[in-house]
Amino acid sequence: MKLLNLLNANIRKEYIELKRYLPNTIAMLLTFYIIFLAMFAGIQVIGDPTTQDMNIQYVIVNYIFWYLTMIVVNDIGWQLSNEATQGTLEQLGMSPMGIWRIMAARLVSSTLVHILIIIGLLYLSMATTGQWLNIDVITLIPIFILTLISMFGLGFIIAGITVILKQIQAFLQILQFILAALAFVPLSVAPFLAFFPIVKGVDLVRQVMIDGASITQIGYSDFLILGFNAIIYFFIGLSIFLYCERVAMKKGLLAHY
Amino acid sequence: MEPIVKVRNVEKAYRKRKSKEMIQAVNSISFDVYKGEIVGLLGPNGAGKTTTIKMICGLLKPDSGSISINSIDTDSHRLKALTHISAVLEGNRNLYWRLSVRENMEYFAGNRGISRKEVAPLINDLLDKFHLKSKEHELVNRLSRGMQQKLAIAVAMLAESDVILLDEPTLGLDVETGYEVRTILKNIVKEYNRTIIISSHDMDVIQDICERTIIINHGSIVTDDRVENLLKLFEVRSYTVSLGGLLSSMQQQLLTQKFPNHTYVSDSYQSTLEIDLLKSEEIYDLFDILKLQATPVESIDRQTVNFEQIFMKIVKGEKTHEVAQSS
Ligand SMILES: Nc1ncnc2c1ncn2[C@@H]1O[C@H](COP(=O)(O)OP(=O)(O)OP(=O)(O)O)[C@@H](O)[C@H]1O
Ligand SMILES: [Mg+2]
């Protein structure tokens, strides 16, 4: 019950801020769409016409996925960096729920609030390009959930680093590109990347949305890898975060000093 | 009776960012606070007040020593201990500036696992008490510094915790707002019977609200006593005597023998004597000396000493607590 109230409060905050700063939100979405159009145009101009449709579909899936990682992983870094320099982080640190539960609630809420936007963007991209992908919800949901869990782990790592270093804006800028690389790289190029966070997830999503694979066609081993990644990254992430929190409490780093 | 806050031999040193040198911010501090007490933590800049408060509310881990709240160790059972504590730390950025007054209250309650519905009556009550009802839907970045501070205290009240820690609650407020915040704090104490620890260098706050004060300087406790005792300590013995004439040289000599620390100021018709008595009976000795020449006494005033003067004397080491108690 308490956890539900915690989640509820964080969803509300996320929603209120998106709504209150609507021009910001719109600008963000517009940026997303314009970059998408640029890529779409690029493929049409310089791409190989025989694989054009395929390429566009790739771009749609990868790009949407990248957006998701930005919301989940990068955003928590920005938020915490602000809160640490302002002083609200200490306030969170005094909650008997523990900062990590609040962070988990934030990760889940930003995903939930943005998922609607992401679906909107997906349909907008498909309508713009005329490339209709296979939206097999039953198959996609488990893939998404497992991939999200490993993303949350990544989010915790970023949150931990932020708590210690605070001014990590430069790092977050670079991280955007690392995340983009992970979202865009085809797994066939480097199979070992399957054990990197999100790579396997995007790959499976591509199989479903582009190649039309259904849940029965995706092997157990694929889900196993996905599940394995989810558990490993979540726990590694959480442990790193808790460790960083302890260090911060020892050294007095929770506040701006 | 078990103390509600128990601080034992707590130490904390920080490492300076550049020079790697260590700063001993808190140096083996021990004290107890009992339920319903209002304790002031007083000390000059850098004394270690904020550090002490942050260790009590679990944001900083002591290097050594232990702290318990309601007999729960804040180190080994941190989150459990936190259910009994809430705090307002110094500064005005401890709220979400992009959220409204009410949204802030709801969000912080939510972060403690309390639902909006559950907390609504308490929020309404607190908005009234803190005179924030009309600003309920105002964004925090549009509030005055004083209102922000009131909101921060209201947020700390939401947890309904036994112990509330306030770090410099009136810092940066103008006189009027400072007075308002103090009045609100006094009412809270009366009405909700919370245990409160307030750090401040504002003597008015301590004198007005606290029953007991712990004075710290350079990370150590200099004195820990009831505020009234500390006031009594100096008040009883300082007198200003206005005389309707001048003292003879014999009288002056006797005075110097009896009261070496007195000051005597005279003009052509009248004079003023300032005198510190070690015991109240000594006032008779003073009268005896005055009687010798039948010097007219116009008034005798007990000097009102404010906390600030006591504080300065104690911090400068003029009076230690031991001296105070032995007299
Ligand atoms: N995070 C930190 N890192 C390094 N040094 C610190 C840190 N926090 C406090 N200090 C140092 O520790 C000492 C005690 O600081 P503290 O903030 O506890 O004092 P204070 O009594 O609250 O002072 P003020 O009245 O200025 O708020 C000071 O010398 C301060 O410079
Ligand atoms: Mg301070």
Side-chain angles (χ1 to χ4, degrees), chain A residues 251-257, chain B residues 12-17 21 23-26 41-54 60 90 167-168 171 199-201 216 219:
Chain A
K251 297 195 172 169
L253 298 175
L254 284 183
H256 51 113
Y257 174 74
Chain B
K12 185 78 206 173
Y14 294 109
R15 190 182 295 278
K16 267 194 191 166
R17 219 171 311 172
E21 197 186 325
I23 311 167
Q24 194 70 37
V26 166
L41 213 55
L42 195 62
N45 285 112
K49 304 180 294 289
T50 301
T51 306
T52 306
I53 285 190
K54 283 188 183 171
L60 258 186
E90 64 192 330
D167 195 8
E168 310 267 9
L171 190 71
S199 92
S200 189
H201 17 32
I216 58 178

mmCIF file of all heavy atoms in Angstrom, chain A residues 251-257, chain B residues 12-17 21 23-26 41-54 60 90 167-168 171 199-201 216 219, ligand 1:
data_model
loop_
_atom_site.group_PDB
_atom_site.id
_atom_site.type_symbol
_atom_site.label_atom_id
_atom_site.label_comp_id
_atom_site.label_asym_id
_atom_site.label_seq_id
_atom_site.Cartn_x
_atom_site.Cartn_y
_atom_site.Cartn_z
ATOM 1 N N LYS A 251 30.563 10.842 3.468
ATOM 2 C CA LYS A 251 31.357 12.021 3.126
ATOM 3 C C LYS A 251 30.554 13.312 3.118
ATOM 4 O O LYS A 251 31.097 14.376 2.833
ATOM 5 C CB LYS A 251 31.997 11.820 1.744
ATOM 6 C CG LYS A 251 32.951 10.650 1.730
ATOM 7 C CD LYS A 251 33.820 10.686 0.495
ATOM 8 C CE LYS A 251 34.905 9.626 0.571
ATOM 9 N NZ LYS A 251 35.585 9.463 -0.722
ATOM 10 N N GLY A 252 29.260 13.198 3.404
ATOM 11 C CA GLY A 252 28.444 14.408 3.410
ATOM 12 C C GLY A 252 28.226 14.968 2.014
ATOM 13 O O GLY A 252 28.335 16.156 1.789
ATOM 14 N N LEU A 253 27.928 14.081 1.068
ATOM 15 C CA LEU A 253 27.796 14.531 -0.327
ATOM 16 C C LEU A 253 26.352 14.704 -0.771
ATOM 17 O O LEU A 253 26.097 15.128 -1.885
ATOM 18 C CB LEU A 253 28.465 13.511 -1.261
ATOM 19 C CG LEU A 253 29.955 13.287 -1.076
ATOM 20 C CD1 LEU A 253 30.427 12.162 -1.985
ATOM 21 C CD2 LEU A 253 30.720 14.560 -1.371
ATOM 22 N N LEU A 254 25.401 14.383 0.133
ATOM 23 C CA LEU A 254 24.006 14.477 -0.305
ATOM 24 C C LEU A 254 23.586 15.919 -0.546
ATOM 25 O O LEU A 254 22.671 16.192 -1.288
ATOM 26 C CB LEU A 254 23.073 13.840 0.723
ATOM 27 C CG LEU A 254 23.036 12.315 0.758
ATOM 28 C CD1 LEU A 254 22.024 11.822 1.766
ATOM 29 C CD2 LEU A 254 22.715 11.739 -0.608
ATOM 30 N N ALA A 255 24.290 16.832 0.098
ATOM 31 C CA ALA A 255 23.923 18.240 -0.070
ATOM 32 C C ALA A 255 24.957 18.945 -0.912
ATOM 33 O O ALA A 255 26.057 18.447 -1.133
ATOM 34 C CB ALA A 255 23.823 18.909 1.283
ATOM 35 N N HIS A 256 24.579 20.108 -1.378
ATOM 36 C CA HIS A 256 25.519 20.966 -2.067
ATOM 37 C C HIS A 256 26.367 21.614 -1.001
ATOM 38 O O HIS A 256 25.858 22.260 -0.099
ATOM 39 C CB HIS A 256 24.782 22.034 -2.844
ATOM 40 C CG HIS A 256 23.772 22.762 -2.004
ATOM 41 N ND1 HIS A 256 23.883 24.078 -1.662
ATOM 42 C CD2 HIS A 256 22.644 22.326 -1.386
ATOM 43 C CE1 HIS A 256 22.852 24.427 -0.902
ATOM 44 N NE2 HIS A 256 22.088 23.383 -0.716
ATOM 45 N N TYR A 257 27.624 21.394 -0.988
ATOM 46 C CA TYR A 257 28.433 22.094 0.006
ATOM 47 C C TYR A 257 29.515 22.875 -0.693
ATOM 48 O O TYR A 257 30.188 22.366 -1.537
ATOM 49 C CB TYR A 257 29.051 21.116 1.003
ATOM 50 C CG TYR A 257 29.995 21.807 1.945
ATOM 51 C CD1 TYR A 257 29.472 22.622 2.964
ATOM 52 C CD2 TYR A 257 31.363 21.738 1.785
ATOM 53 C CE1 TYR A 257 30.311 23.316 3.807
ATOM 54 C CE2 TYR A 257 32.197 22.429 2.632
ATOM 55 C CZ TYR A 257 31.682 23.210 3.639
ATOM 56 O OH TYR A 257 32.512 23.910 4.466
ATOM 57 N N LYS B 12 32.492 13.624 13.905
ATOM 58 C CA LYS B 12 32.451 13.680 12.448
ATOM 59 C C LYS B 12 33.536 14.609 11.926
ATOM 60 O O LYS B 12 33.666 15.747 12.368
ATOM 61 C CB LYS B 12 31.078 14.190 11.974
ATOM 62 C CG LYS B 12 30.904 14.174 10.474
ATOM 63 C CD LYS B 12 30.601 12.789 9.976
ATOM 64 C CE LYS B 12 31.027 12.564 8.544
ATOM 65 N NZ LYS B 12 30.871 11.164 8.151
ATOM 66 N N ALA B 13 34.295 14.099 10.991
ATOM 67 C CA ALA B 13 35.303 14.941 10.336
ATOM 68 C C ALA B 13 35.030 14.929 8.845
ATOM 69 O O ALA B 13 34.564 13.936 8.296
ATOM 70 C CB ALA B 13 36.698 14.398 10.625
ATOM 71 N N TYR B 14 35.247 16.053 8.207
ATOM 72 C CA TYR B 14 35.115 16.132 6.748
ATOM 73 C C TYR B 14 36.510 16.245 6.150
ATOM 74 O O TYR B 14 37.403 16.815 6.758
ATOM 75 C CB TYR B 14 34.353 17.383 6.334
ATOM 76 C CG TYR B 14 32.916 17.439 6.740
ATOM 77 C CD1 TYR B 14 32.504 18.315 7.741
ATOM 78 C CD2 TYR B 14 31.966 16.656 6.108
ATOM 79 C CE1 TYR B 14 31.162 18.413 8.098
ATOM 80 C CE2 TYR B 14 30.632 16.750 6.466
ATOM 81 C CZ TYR B 14 30.231 17.628 7.459
ATOM 82 O OH TYR B 14 28.925 17.726 7.802
ATOM 83 N N ARG B 15 36.620 15.743 4.939
ATOM 84 C CA ARG B 15 37.863 15.948 4.214
ATOM 85 C C ARG B 15 37.688 17.183 3.337
ATOM 86 O O ARG B 15 36.733 17.300 2.600
ATOM 87 C CB ARG B 15 38.157 14.731 3.345
ATOM 88 C CG ARG B 15 39.538 14.740 2.733
ATOM 89 C CD ARG B 15 39.728 13.513 1.849
ATOM 90 N NE ARG B 15 39.706 12.279 2.626
ATOM 91 C CZ ARG B 15 40.753 11.804 3.286
ATOM 92 N NH1 ARG B 15 41.901 12.454 3.261
ATOM 93 N NH2 ARG B 15 40.666 10.682 3.971
ATOM 94 N N LYS B 16 38.621 18.090 3.458
ATOM 95 C CA LYS B 16 38.555 19.287 2.611
ATOM 96 C C LYS B 16 38.737 18.882 1.167
ATOM 97 O O LYS B 16 39.520 17.988 0.863
ATOM 98 C CB LYS B 16 39.661 20.279 3.000
ATOM 99 C CG LYS B 16 39.217 21.314 4.008
ATOM 100 C CD LYS B 16 40.239 22.435 4.070
ATOM 101 C CE LYS B 16 39.965 23.336 5.239
ATOM 102 N NZ LYS B 16 41.107 24.211 5.513
ATOM 103 N N ARG B 17 38.027 19.561 0.291
ATOM 104 C CA ARG B 17 37.989 19.098 -1.083
ATOM 105 C C ARG B 17 39.358 19.118 -1.750
ATOM 106 O O ARG B 17 39.756 18.166 -2.382
ATOM 107 C CB ARG B 17 36.984 19.888 -1.902
ATOM 108 C CG ARG B 17 36.249 18.984 -2.866
ATOM 109 C CD ARG B 17 35.100 19.682 -3.536
ATOM 110 N NE ARG B 17 34.249 20.371 -2.558
ATOM 111 C CZ ARG B 17 33.268 21.168 -2.918
ATOM 112 N NH1 ARG B 17 33.021 21.386 -4.172
ATOM 113 N NH2 ARG B 17 32.518 21.766 -2.007
ATOM 114 N N GLU B 21 42.999 17.791 3.738
ATOM 115 C CA GLU B 21 43.113 18.004 5.167
ATOM 116 C C GLU B 21 41.758 17.663 5.805
ATOM 117 O O GLU B 21 40.719 17.844 5.206
ATOM 118 C CB GLU B 21 43.400 19.495 5.331
ATOM 119 C CG GLU B 21 43.945 19.957 6.631
ATOM 120 C CD GLU B 21 44.013 21.491 6.599
ATOM 121 O OE1 GLU B 21 44.288 22.061 5.526
ATOM 122 O OE2 GLU B 21 43.757 22.089 7.637
ATOM 123 N N ILE B 23 38.741 18.240 8.573
ATOM 124 C CA ILE B 23 38.188 19.236 9.490
ATOM 125 C C ILE B 23 37.329 18.499 10.498
ATOM 126 O O ILE B 23 36.387 17.798 10.105
ATOM 127 C CB ILE B 23 37.240 20.221 8.767
ATOM 128 C CG1 ILE B 23 37.900 20.764 7.505
ATOM 129 C CG2 ILE B 23 36.795 21.329 9.688
ATOM 130 C CD1 ILE B 23 36.899 21.475 6.607
ATOM 131 N N GLN B 24 37.643 18.637 11.757
ATOM 132 C CA GLN B 24 36.821 17.992 12.785
ATOM 133 C C GLN B 24 35.597 18.871 13.027
ATOM 134 O O GLN B 24 35.662 19.868 13.742
ATOM 135 C CB GLN B 24 37.649 17.823 14.068
ATOM 136 C CG GLN B 24 37.021 16.862 15.077
ATOM 137 C CD GLN B 24 37.050 15.410 14.611
ATOM 138 O OE1 GLN B 24 38.009 14.972 13.989
ATOM 139 N NE2 GLN B 24 35.985 14.664 14.882
ATOM 140 N N ALA B 25 34.480 18.492 12.419
ATOM 141 C CA ALA B 25 33.284 19.341 12.527
ATOM 142 C C ALA B 25 32.560 19.112 13.846
ATOM 143 O O ALA B 25 32.035 20.034 14.449
ATOM 144 C CB ALA B 25 32.346 19.069 11.361
ATOM 145 N N VAL B 26 32.527 17.857 14.286
ATOM 146 C CA VAL B 26 31.884 17.534 15.563
ATOM 147 C C VAL B 26 32.819 16.626 16.337
ATOM 148 O O VAL B 26 33.370 15.680 15.807
ATOM 149 C CB VAL B 26 30.514 16.843 15.330
ATOM 150 C CG1 VAL B 26 30.020 16.204 16.605
ATOM 151 C CG2 VAL B 26 29.498 17.838 14.819
ATOM 152 N N LEU B 41 19.897 24.391 19.735
ATOM 153 C CA LEU B 41 21.295 24.087 19.468
ATOM 154 C C LEU B 41 21.901 25.395 19.001
ATOM 155 O O LEU B 41 21.589 25.877 17.924
ATOM 156 C CB LEU B 41 21.346 23.050 18.355
ATOM 157 C CG LEU B 41 22.444 22.020 18.341
ATOM 158 C CD1 LEU B 41 22.479 21.265 19.644
ATOM 159 C CD2 LEU B 41 22.184 21.044 17.197
ATOM 160 N N LEU B 42 22.739 25.956 19.853
ATOM 161 C CA LEU B 42 23.193 27.305 19.592
ATOM 162 C C LEU B 42 24.691 27.287 19.370
ATOM 163 O O LEU B 42 25.413 26.574 20.058
ATOM 164 C CB LEU B 42 22.833 28.146 20.820
ATOM 165 C CG LEU B 42 22.870 29.644 20.726
ATOM 166 C CD1 LEU B 42 21.871 30.124 19.715
ATOM 167 C CD2 LEU B 42 22.538 30.231 22.091
ATOM 168 N N GLY B 43 25.155 28.066 18.423
ATOM 169 C CA GLY B 43 26.600 28.122 18.225
ATOM 170 C C GLY B 43 26.930 29.036 17.069
ATOM 171 O O GLY B 43 26.094 29.247 16.192
ATOM 172 N N PRO B 44 28.139 29.571 17.063
ATOM 173 C CA PRO B 44 28.530 30.468 15.974
ATOM 174 C C PRO B 44 28.685 29.717 14.652
ATOM 175 O O PRO B 44 28.591 28.490 14.622
ATOM 176 C CB PRO B 44 29.874 31.026 16.443
ATOM 177 C CG PRO B 44 30.385 30.053 17.437
ATOM 178 C CD PRO B 44 29.199 29.387 18.049
ATOM 179 N N ASN B 45 28.935 30.420 13.587
ATOM 180 C CA ASN B 45 29.124 29.795 12.269
ATOM 181 C C ASN B 45 30.213 28.739 12.336
ATOM 182 O O ASN B 45 31.258 28.951 12.923
ATOM 183 C CB ASN B 45 29.538 30.833 11.227
ATOM 184 C CG ASN B 45 28.363 31.685 10.816
ATOM 185 O OD1 ASN B 45 28.322 32.856 11.106
ATOM 186 N ND2 ASN B 45 27.404 31.090 10.172
ATOM 187 N N GLY B 46 29.913 27.612 11.719
ATOM 188 C CA GLY B 46 30.918 26.556 11.659
ATOM 189 C C GLY B 46 31.077 25.765 12.941
ATOM 190 O O GLY B 46 31.984 24.958 13.081
ATOM 191 N N ALA B 47 30.168 25.976 13.919
ATOM 192 C CA ALA B 47 30.288 25.292 15.205
ATOM 193 C C ALA B 47 30.014 23.797 15.092
ATOM 194 O O ALA B 47 30.497 23.006 15.896
ATOM 195 C CB ALA B 47 29.329 25.913 16.210
ATOM 196 N N GLY B 48 29.236 23.419 14.086
ATOM 197 C CA GLY B 48 28.898 22.004 13.922
ATOM 198 C C GLY B 48 27.412 21.712 14.129
ATOM 199 O O GLY B 48 27.016 20.566 14.266
ATOM 200 N N LYS B 49 26.602 22.732 14.119
ATOM 201 C CA LYS B 49 25.156 22.549 14.340
ATOM 202 C C LYS B 49 24.526 21.731 13.226
ATOM 203 O O LYS B 49 23.841 20.734 13.473
ATOM 204 C CB LYS B 49 24.442 23.919 14.408
ATOM 205 C CG LYS B 49 24.983 24.860 15.449
ATOM 206 C CD LYS B 49 24.229 26.185 15.458
ATOM 207 C CE LYS B 49 24.396 27.016 14.194
ATOM 208 N NZ LYS B 49 25.726 27.615 14.018
ATOM 209 N N THR B 50 24.747 22.177 11.993
ATOM 210 C CA THR B 50 24.137 21.477 10.863
ATOM 211 C C THR B 50 24.638 20.038 10.792
ATOM 212 O O THR B 50 23.870 19.106 10.550
ATOM 213 C CB THR B 50 24.454 22.221 9.553
ATOM 214 O OG1 THR B 50 23.936 23.543 9.654
ATOM 215 C CG2 THR B 50 23.826 21.535 8.366
ATOM 216 N N THR B 51 25.921 19.854 11.018
ATOM 217 C CA THR B 51 26.490 18.516 10.997
ATOM 218 C C THR B 51 25.807 17.627 12.035
ATOM 219 O O THR B 51 25.427 16.486 11.740
ATOM 220 C CB THR B 51 28.005 18.588 11.274
ATOM 221 O OG1 THR B 51 28.582 19.502 10.346
ATOM 222 C CG2 THR B 51 28.647 17.242 11.125
ATOM 223 N N THR B 52 25.614 18.164 13.228
ATOM 224 C CA THR B 52 24.956 17.392 14.283
ATOM 225 C C THR B 52 23.536 17.020 13.871
ATOM 226 O O THR B 52 23.114 15.865 13.997
ATOM 227 C CB THR B 52 24.915 18.218 15.593
ATOM 228 O OG1 THR B 52 26.237 18.629 15.905
ATOM 229 C CG2 THR B 52 24.347 17.402 16.733
ATOM 230 N N ILE B 53 22.817 17.996 13.355
ATOM 231 C CA ILE B 53 21.430 17.746 12.945
ATOM 232 C C ILE B 53 21.352 16.698 11.840
ATOM 233 O O ILE B 53 20.544 15.775 11.883
ATOM 234 C CB ILE B 53 20.760 19.076 12.526
ATOM 235 C CG1 ILE B 53 20.440 19.858 13.791
ATOM 236 C CG2 ILE B 53 19.513 18.834 11.676
ATOM 237 C CD1 ILE B 53 19.587 21.063 13.606
ATOM 238 N N LYS B 54 22.259 16.809 10.873
ATOM 239 C CA LYS B 54 22.220 15.843 9.769
ATOM 240 C C LYS B 54 22.553 14.434 10.230
ATOM 241 O O LYS B 54 22.059 13.456 9.671
ATOM 242 C CB LYS B 54 23.184 16.268 8.666
ATOM 243 C CG LYS B 54 22.618 17.406 7.833
ATOM 244 C CD LYS B 54 23.479 17.694 6.642
ATOM 245 C CE LYS B 54 22.919 18.888 5.881
ATOM 246 N NZ LYS B 54 23.839 19.334 4.839
ATOM 247 N N LEU B 60 23.882 11.894 7.474
ATOM 248 C CA LEU B 60 25.335 11.812 7.585
ATOM 249 C C LEU B 60 25.643 10.694 8.558
ATOM 250 O O LEU B 60 25.002 10.585 9.599
ATOM 251 C CB LEU B 60 25.859 13.109 8.196
ATOM 252 C CG LEU B 60 26.493 14.180 7.348
ATOM 253 C CD1 LEU B 60 27.025 15.262 8.264
ATOM 254 C CD2 LEU B 60 27.607 13.622 6.492
ATOM 255 N N GLU B 90 18.752 23.745 6.451
ATOM 256 C CA GLU B 90 18.902 25.172 6.178
ATOM 257 C C GLU B 90 18.751 25.469 4.686
ATOM 258 O O GLU B 90 18.930 24.605 3.850
ATOM 259 C CB GLU B 90 20.252 25.687 6.707
ATOM 260 C CG GLU B 90 21.453 25.065 6.027
ATOM 261 C CD GLU B 90 22.761 25.363 6.773
ATOM 262 O OE1 GLU B 90 22.857 26.414 7.410
ATOM 263 O OE2 GLU B 90 23.666 24.517 6.704
ATOM 264 N N ASP B 167 16.790 23.308 11.210
ATOM 265 C CA ASP B 167 18.104 23.935 11.118
ATOM 266 C C ASP B 167 17.932 25.382 10.685
ATOM 267 O O ASP B 167 17.486 25.640 9.571
ATOM 268 C CB ASP B 167 18.970 23.164 10.114
ATOM 269 C CG ASP B 167 20.439 23.528 10.236
ATOM 270 O OD1 ASP B 167 20.790 24.257 11.188
ATOM 271 O OD2 ASP B 167 21.234 23.082 9.389
ATOM 272 N N GLU B 168 18.237 26.294 11.557
ATOM 273 C CA GLU B 168 18.143 27.734 11.270
ATOM 274 C C GLU B 168 16.795 28.120 10.658
ATOM 275 O O GLU B 168 16.749 28.649 9.547
ATOM 276 C CB GLU B 168 19.252 28.153 10.284
ATOM 277 C CG GLU B 168 20.637 27.701 10.673
ATOM 278 C CD GLU B 168 21.376 28.756 11.476
ATOM 279 O OE1 GLU B 168 20.763 29.768 11.871
ATOM 280 O OE2 GLU B 168 22.572 28.558 11.709
ATOM 281 N N LEU B 171 16.591 31.892 9.569
ATOM 282 C CA LEU B 171 17.706 32.508 8.840
ATOM 283 C C LEU B 171 17.208 33.198 7.571
ATOM 284 O O LEU B 171 16.451 32.629 6.795
ATOM 285 C CB LEU B 171 18.722 31.429 8.474
ATOM 286 C CG LEU B 171 20.056 31.937 7.924
ATOM 287 C CD1 LEU B 171 20.858 32.603 9.029
ATOM 288 C CD2 LEU B 171 20.851 30.788 7.318
ATOM 289 N N SER B 199 18.260 24.463 15.632
ATOM 290 C CA SER B 199 19.573 25.105 15.650
ATOM 291 C C SER B 199 19.394 26.536 15.193
ATOM 292 O O SER B 199 18.533 26.831 14.367
ATOM 293 C CB SER B 199 20.533 24.393 14.716
ATOM 294 O OG SER B 199 20.499 24.998 13.443
ATOM 295 N N SER B 200 20.193 27.412 15.739
ATOM 296 C CA SER B 200 20.033 28.811 15.376
ATOM 297 C C SER B 200 21.206 29.628 15.879
ATOM 298 O O SER B 200 21.863 29.252 16.832
ATOM 299 C CB SER B 200 18.742 29.333 16.003
ATOM 300 O OG SER B 200 18.452 30.603 15.504
ATOM 301 N N HIS B 201 21.490 30.745 15.175
ATOM 302 C CA HIS B 201 22.238 31.736 15.930
ATOM 303 C C HIS B 201 21.361 32.916 16.288
ATOM 304 O O HIS B 201 21.814 33.911 16.770
ATOM 305 C CB HIS B 201 23.559 32.231 15.359
ATOM 306 C CG HIS B 201 23.859 31.986 13.914
ATOM 307 N ND1 HIS B 201 22.948 31.926 12.922
ATOM 308 C CD2 HIS B 201 25.068 31.801 13.334
ATOM 309 C CE1 HIS B 201 23.557 31.713 11.782
ATOM 310 N NE2 HIS B 201 24.850 31.632 11.995
ATOM 311 N N ILE B 216 27.112 24.880 21.385
ATOM 312 C CA ILE B 216 28.303 24.208 20.872
ATOM 313 C C ILE B 216 29.218 25.206 20.194
ATOM 314 O O ILE B 216 28.789 26.202 19.624
ATOM 315 C CB ILE B 216 27.987 23.031 19.913
ATOM 316 C CG1 ILE B 216 27.159 23.474 18.728
ATOM 317 C CG2 ILE B 216 27.297 21.922 20.633
ATOM 318 C CD1 ILE B 216 26.903 22.340 17.764
ATOM 319 N N GLY B 219 32.710 22.380 17.503
ATOM 320 C CA GLY B 219 32.358 20.967 17.491
ATOM 321 C C GLY B 219 32.197 20.311 18.855
ATOM 322 O O GLY B 219 31.989 19.110 18.934
HETATM 323 N N1 LIG C 1 30.138 18.675 3.403
HETATM 324 C C1 LIG C 1 31.191 19.275 3.999
HETATM 325 N N2 LIG C 1 32.449 19.091 3.532
HETATM 326 C C2 LIG C 1 33.496 19.673 4.125
HETATM 327 N N3 LIG C 1 33.428 20.445 5.225
HETATM 328 C C3 LIG C 1 32.212 20.678 5.759
HETATM 329 C C4 LIG C 1 31.029 20.117 5.171
HETATM 330 N N4 LIG C 1 29.976 20.520 5.901
HETATM 331 C C5 LIG C 1 30.464 21.294 6.892
HETATM 332 N N5 LIG C 1 31.820 21.406 6.820
HETATM 333 C C6 LIG C 1 32.688 22.121 7.778
HETATM 334 O O1 LIG C 1 32.444 21.586 9.068
HETATM 335 C C7 LIG C 1 32.353 22.598 10.053
HETATM 336 C C8 LIG C 1 31.003 22.569 10.734
HETATM 337 O O2 LIG C 1 30.022 22.939 9.802
HETATM 338 P P1 LIG C 1 28.481 23.020 10.130
HETATM 339 O O3 LIG C 1 27.802 23.306 8.858
HETATM 340 O O4 LIG C 1 28.059 21.818 10.879
HETATM 341 O O5 LIG C 1 28.406 24.293 11.082
HETATM 342 P P2 LIG C 1 27.152 25.139 11.539
HETATM 343 O O6 LIG C 1 27.229 25.236 13.014
HETATM 344 O O7 LIG C 1 25.919 24.597 10.977
HETATM 345 O O8 LIG C 1 27.477 26.562 10.917
HETATM 346 P P3 LIG C 1 26.512 27.658 10.272
HETATM 347 O O9 LIG C 1 26.042 28.491 11.396
HETATM 348 O O10 LIG C 1 27.425 28.398 9.372
HETATM 349 O O11 LIG C 1 25.420 26.961 9.561
HETATM 350 C C9 LIG C 1 32.652 23.891 9.326
HETATM 351 O O12 LIG C 1 34.017 24.178 9.521
HETATM 352 C C10 LIG C 1 32.361 23.590 7.888
HETATM 353 O O13 LIG C 1 33.198 24.356 7.066
#
